[in-house]
Amino acid sequence: RSARQRGRDAENHGFLMFEINLECQAMSEQRVEQQIQTLELRRRQAMVEGHMDFLESLYTRDLTYSHSDGKSDSKSSYLQGMREGVWRYRGFTSRDEQMRRAGDCVVVTGLIDMDVVIRGEPMLLNSRYISVWKAGNNGWQMIAWQSTRYTHA
């Protein structure tokens, strides 16, 4: 084979490896999205059922949990408030969720309706939210939550 043919073969091989790499990245991204979706569902279920040990393991040590009323909690103050019944979650419905990968983090945005009792007052909160998940030694953990109330148009 000529040098020219060998060059084309190498070029084609490189292109094929590039395509395979892109396919692997897409599969990996899909797997990460499925993991985060599963963790979000499990987190919400744990909030409804009061599974504090699971929530304790799911949130990073330096979690920032910003509520739709503008108040913010650390991991310890948020979980303490849940233990004391400040927030008693009864259900969640989410939609329009999108995920973006940024290094070792995944940013999730969407709309969520929360059926919650806050300090004894039943409420249905309609919010836009952003949650940030970080990959680490303990797997995927939530590092931040921010929600902002909105009214249905």
Side-chain angles (χ1 to χ4, degrees), residues 87-91 114-118 121-125:
W87 307 280
R88 195 167 44 83
Y89 296 94
R90 300 189 296 189
M114 294 181 266
D115 182 359
V116 60
V117 177
I118 302 174
E121 184 182 341
M123 301 181 85
L124 181 60
L125 303 177

Side-chain angles (χ1 to χ4, degrees), residues 39-40 42-48 51-65 73-80 82-83 89 92 131-134 138-145:
L39 287 171
E40 274 286 359
R42 290 183 63 204
R43 179 182 75 87
R44 294 170 190 171
Q45 191 63 36
M47 292 169 75
V48 169
H51 293 174
M52 302 308 291
D53 289 340
F54 178 74
L55 295 172
E56 181 81 36
S57 71
L58 195 63
Y59 297 140
T60 60
R61 184 179 62 251
D62 56 345
L63 171 78
T64 300
Y65 197 100
D73 276 291
S74 65
K75 176 182 179 174
S76 62
S77 64
Y78 179 64
L79 293 176
Q80 186 62 33
M82 286 190 67
R83 285 183 185 95
Y89 296 94
F92 299 90
S131 63
V132 181
W133 292 81
K134 183 173 178 21
N138 297 323
W140 288 101
Q141 291 182 291
M142 181 181 279
I143 191 170
W145 170 270

Side-chain angles (χ1 to χ4, degrees), residues 63-74 77-78 86-87 89 118-119 145-149:
L63 171 78
T64 300
Y65 197 100
S66 298
H67 302 272
S68 60
D69 63 2
K71 295 178 182 166
S72 190
D73 276 291
S74 65
S77 64
Y78 179 64
V86 174
W87 307 280
Y89 296 94
I118 302 174
R119 292 179 178 82
W145 170 270
Q146 165 71 52
S147 60
T148 303
R149 288 186 203 174

